[in-house]
Amino acid sequence: MKITWRRMLLGVAVAGVIGQVSAFSLGGEDAVVIPPPTLDEITQAHSETAVFAGGCFWGVQGVFQHVKGVQKAVSGYAGGAANTAEYERVSEGDTGHAESVQVTFDPTQVSYGSLLQIYFSVAHNPTELNRQGPDSGTQYRSALFPVNADQQKVAQAYIAQLDAAHAYSKPIVTKLESYNGFYPAEDYHQDFLTEHPSYPYIVINDMPKVANLKQVFAQRYQEKPVLVKDGS
C-alpha cells in the first residue's frame, strides 16, 4: 500500500516529535496576487455548485470554508467512477479521480469568477503538474470540473487571461475536465483543517493558505468556517 506524506507525518505526530518536521523541508505556497476575471457569470440564483481540484483536499476545503458567500465546501473525488471513489483506492493514482472540493455558494455574494481568483491565487499552485507540495500523482492534479456551460466559458477565459498576463513564472497546467459526478470523501476527511490545526501537514502546507486568504482577500474572508459536520 502506498504511504502518503500525510500518513508519514501523522506517524511523526504520534511519536511526539513534531518539532522535527522541519527536516522534511516542506512549506506552504506563497500567494500570487492576480487580477479578477474580466468575464464572469451573471445570475440571480442564490445557490450554485462548483468543483475544484488542487492537490490535497484538506487545504482547498479549508480555504473555501473561510470565504464569505460559501454555503458548504465538501472534500471528495471527481474525474473517476463511483466504484473507485475511496481514499485508499484513489491514492493509488490510477482511478482518474482527483482529490476535489465541491463548493456550494451564493452567486449574489461571491461569484464563480471570484472563487476562481481565490483558487488560482491562494488555494493551490496552478503551475505544478500532477503534484502539489509534497504530494505527487494524478490524484493531486490541478483541474476544474465545470458543472455548466457558463462555468466552462468563464474558467477557460480566465486561464487564457492569466496566461496572457504572465501572472506566473511558469505556464498554468490547470485542465478543464468533464463533470461526471462528485463523490464525498470519508467523514474523517471532512473539516480536517479545522479539527486538526496542529497536525504537521496542516501546519506546514495548509494554514499558510488560510492566512494568505485573510491577507490577500480580506473583504471576502470570514473568520468562522462553514463546516460540513455542523450541517451549515
Side-chain angles (χ1 to χ4, degrees):
M1 181 180 297
K2 181 179 180 180
I3 299 175
T4 65
W5 272 101
R6 281 175 273 172
R7 289 217 169 87
M8 184 179 294
L9 290 177
L10 176 60
V12 172
V14 171
V17 289
I18 296 177
Q20 298 177 17
V21 171
S22 59
F24 289 109
S25 299
L26 306 180
E29 294 283 349
D30 292 332
V32 178
V33 178
I34 55 177
T38 55
L39 178 68
D40 204 345
E41 277 191 310
I42 300 175
T43 176
Q44 297 303 311
H46 287 277
S47 185
E48 185 175 340
T49 61
V51 179
F52 305 86
C56 173
F57 42 33
W58 293 346
V60 178
Q61 181 191 47
V63 167
F64 283 121
Q65 287 179 322
H66 280 280
V67 176
K68 293 177 182 177
V70 168
Q71 300 162 333
K72 181 182 290 188
V74 180
S75 290
Y77 313 103
N83 64 354
T84 58
E86 187 271 331
Y87 182 70
E88 299 294 349
R89 184 69 186 86
V90 171
S91 293
E92 296 298 322
D94 61 355
T95 63
H97 281 296
E99 289 197 13
S100 306
V101 175
Q102 182 187 64
V103 178
T104 304
F105 62 101
D106 182 344
T108 66
Q109 295 184 39
V110 59
S111 69
Y112 178 63
S114 295
L115 293 178
L116 285 177
Q117 186 182 16
I118 291 169
Y119 166 77
F120 283 114
S121 174
V122 303
H124 86 307
N125 182 344
T127 70
E128 289 199 303
L129 182 63
N130 294 332
R131 70 170 301 114
Q132 285 292 312
D135 300 316
S136 62
T138 58
Q139 69 271 33
Y140 300 112
R141 66 189 182 272
S142 175
L144 294 167
F145 297 87
V147 303
N148 58 45
D150 286 341
Q151 287 187 4
Q152 175 82 19
K153 185 183 301 182
V154 171
Q156 192 168 29
Y158 195 32
I159 291 172
Q161 174 189 336
L162 294 175
D163 272 336
H166 303 289
Y168 305 90
S169 60
K170 297 186 293 185
I172 293 173
V173 298
T174 308
K175 300 298 183 184
L176 302 186
E177 302 188 24
S178 298
Y179 177 72
N180 296 314
F182 174 84
Y183 307 95
E186 296 78 359
D187 286 347
Y188 68 90
H189 285 301
Q190 306 301 339
D191 307 329
F192 197 94
L193 182 147
T194 298
E195 293 183 350
H196 305 281
S198 62
Y199 189 82
Y201 183 99
I202 295 295
V203 172
I204 297 167
N205 297 286
D206 296 331
M207 295 306 289
K209 296 178 181 180
V210 178
N212 287 338
L213 172 70
K214 185 175 183 178
Q215 180 179 1
V216 179
F217 297 95
Q219 298 303 311
R220 298 203 177 277
Y221 178 81
Q222 59 182 10
E223 190 68 35
K224 183 180 179 181
V226 180
L227 302 179
V228 174
K229 294 175 185 177
D230 283 348
S232 54

